[in-house]
Amino acid sequence: MKFGIVVFPGSNCDDDMVYTLGQLMGQPTVKLWHKDTHLQGCDWVVLPGGFSYGDYLRSGAIARFSPIMEAVVAHAQAGGPVLGICNGFQILTEAGLLPGALLRNLNRKYVCRNVYLKPVSGRAALTAPLDHQRAYQIPIAHGDGRYYAPPKTLAQLNHNDQILFKYCDAQGQITPEANPNGSAENIAGVCNAAKNVFGMMPHPERAASPLLGNADGRPLLDALLRLQPALVG
Amino acid sequence: MKFIAEIDVMPQKEILDPQGKAVMLGLKNLGIRNVADVRIGRHITLEMEVDNQAAAEEEAAFACQKLLANLIMEDYTFTVRPA
């Protein structure tokens, strides 16, 4: 599976993603500069974390108009898989490829720590292979991570099984205390209705090696390899 | 002709604005106690070179809808005047 990691001015998790997918997981990876206009035959497109365009205006708002995004949108609309982590998630919502928006954290703090996630969707490729009974420990690092969607959209997300992860405690209980940023329904990640575009605030690529003391992110990323591009949709 | 668009982008009413809450605390600490709510948005000005007022308004509305405001969480208003 060939992965293209898009680099915007201000992206800062691109190397982590290349290292994890390429070195640790042995997948062919290329970096795609935001001014490029084609995806070099990549099966997966990954929008990494960071502060594209300095988070000016709104996180992800300006990156959405980078030249490469036209190709990313076309890829997604043709059923091609796309993953956005953190700032990548914000860009995908700004681009309209994912529902909702990411607002300033409710506690007004930049939160950088490990949290626990519970897989929710039984049908999305990213979460279907995971153990839905356990909590995965994955780090977050964001100031604008409060997931918001109007009530009607939230109802659709639930109805279509589009919620990927919810913040939970170490025992897997989804409680208000386990919600680090005030997200609606503790939502940490969602996918689109066609289930080929995925976004999440936590960083599995920062927790994918036992050498780093936490490999809980690895099964999430391994799940990407199970999604055959031809089968998406 | 030169026109100036004055644009205000505000968080929607039903969305909690933590920045506004923090500033309200500051106002109370300052001794201003009769403020019931504070909401913070942004003010944007565009200098435009277009044919007429209608074109300037159309351009400003397009800019707001496509980039300057995220209509999922924000509302916008603007006025346009000759520079």
Side-chain angles (χ1 to χ4, degrees):
Chain A
M1 197 86 78
K2 184 176 177 182
F3 287 85
I5 291 95
V6 179
V7 183
F8 298 96
S11 295
N12 65 10
C13 301
D14 42 325
D15 281 324
D16 289 4
M17 194 53 92
V18 168
Y19 173 76
T20 302
L21 293 170
Q23 300 278 109
L24 295 179
M25 295 169 60
Q27 301 300 311
T29 59
V30 290
K31 283 190 181 178
L32 302 171
W33 180 233
H34 77 113
K35 284 189 174 168
D36 291 350
T37 50
H38 59 93
L39 302 179
Q40 300 182 28
C42 288
D43 303 301
W44 267 94
V45 176
V46 180
L47 307 189
F51 299 86
S52 59
Y53 294 88
D55 275 355
Y56 295 154
L57 193 64
R58 294 177 308 276
S59 301
I62 303 177
R64 169 203 168 182
F65 292 101
S66 273
I68 194 130
M69 284 307 290
E70 208 170 305
V72 173
V73 170
H75 174 77
Q77 285 174 346
V82 179
L83 171 67
I85 303 286
C86 199
N87 187 225
F89 183 17
Q90 294 162 340
I91 295 167
L92 290 173
T93 59
E94 284 285 345
L97 288 175
L98 287 174
L102 282 313
L103 311 185
R104 182 71 46 88
N105 291 349
L106 208 50
N107 59 12
R108 305 184 289 270
K109 289 176 185 165
Y110 187 95
V111 183
C112 183
R113 63 175 166 87
N114 282 317
V115 296
Y116 289 95
L117 301 182
K118 189 148 202 199
V120 178
S121 176
R123 285 191 285 144
L126 188 59
T127 48
L130 301 179
D131 180 353
H132 285 231
Q133 298 312 310
R134 66 164 281 205
Y136 290 79
Q137 190 183 44
I138 310 283
I140 55 169
H142 60 245
D144 297 326
R146 175 169 45 127
Y147 185 76
Y148 168 80
K152 197 176 147 198
T153 305
L154 282 176
Q156 283 170 346
L157 291 176
N158 280 292
H159 182 258
N160 298 333
D161 201 17
Q162 287 173 249
I163 297 170
L164 297 174
F165 297 102
K166 289 190 174 188
Y167 299 107
C168 64
D169 63 20
Q171 285 74 44
Q173 301 300 312
I174 298 159
T175 64
E177 294 74 31
N179 188 341
N181 52 26
S183 289
E185 298 187 16
N186 281 40
I187 290 172
V190 298
C191 64
N192 63 342
K195 297 189 173 59
N196 65 309
V197 180
F198 308 87
M200 60 190 289
M201 290 310 296
H203 288 272
E205 80 282 7
R206 293 187 187 178
S209 162
L211 280 176
L212 296 175
N214 180 5
D216 270 12
R218 183 63 188 268
L220 277 66
L221 295 168
D222 283 337
L224 305 182
L225 307 182
R226 297 163 57 113
L227 189 70
Q228 295 301 316
L231 299 179
V232 169
Chain B
M1 263 184 88
K2 267 204 171 75
F3 289 88
I4 291 182
E6 306 262 358
I7 299 166
D8 287 310
V9 179
M10 295 297 293
Q12 287 174 8
K13 286 207 165 48
E14 55 272 25
I15 289 180
L16 191 66
D17 173 16
Q19 207 181 166
K21 295 275 177 234
V23 170
M24 193 159 89
L25 273 176
L27 289 172
K28 287 208 189 307
N29 291 339
L30 176 66
I32 300 175
R33 308 213 167 262
N34 50 2
V35 177
D37 194 25
V38 179
R39 299 185 71 74
I40 297 179
R42 55 169 65 84
H43 184 80
I44 301 166
T45 60
L46 306 181
E47 268 185 53
M48 296 183 283
E49 184 71 54
V50 288
D51 290 343
N52 52 47
Q53 175 91 14
E57 286 177 6
E58 195 179 328
E59 196 104 305
F62 185 70
C64 288
Q65 288 158 17
K66 293 293 178 186
L67 176 60
L68 302 180
N70 179 338
L71 302 184
I72 294 171
M73 56 182 181
E74 296 167 328
D75 294 321
Y76 67 87
T77 53
F78 66 81
T79 57
V80 171
R81 59 178 165 80

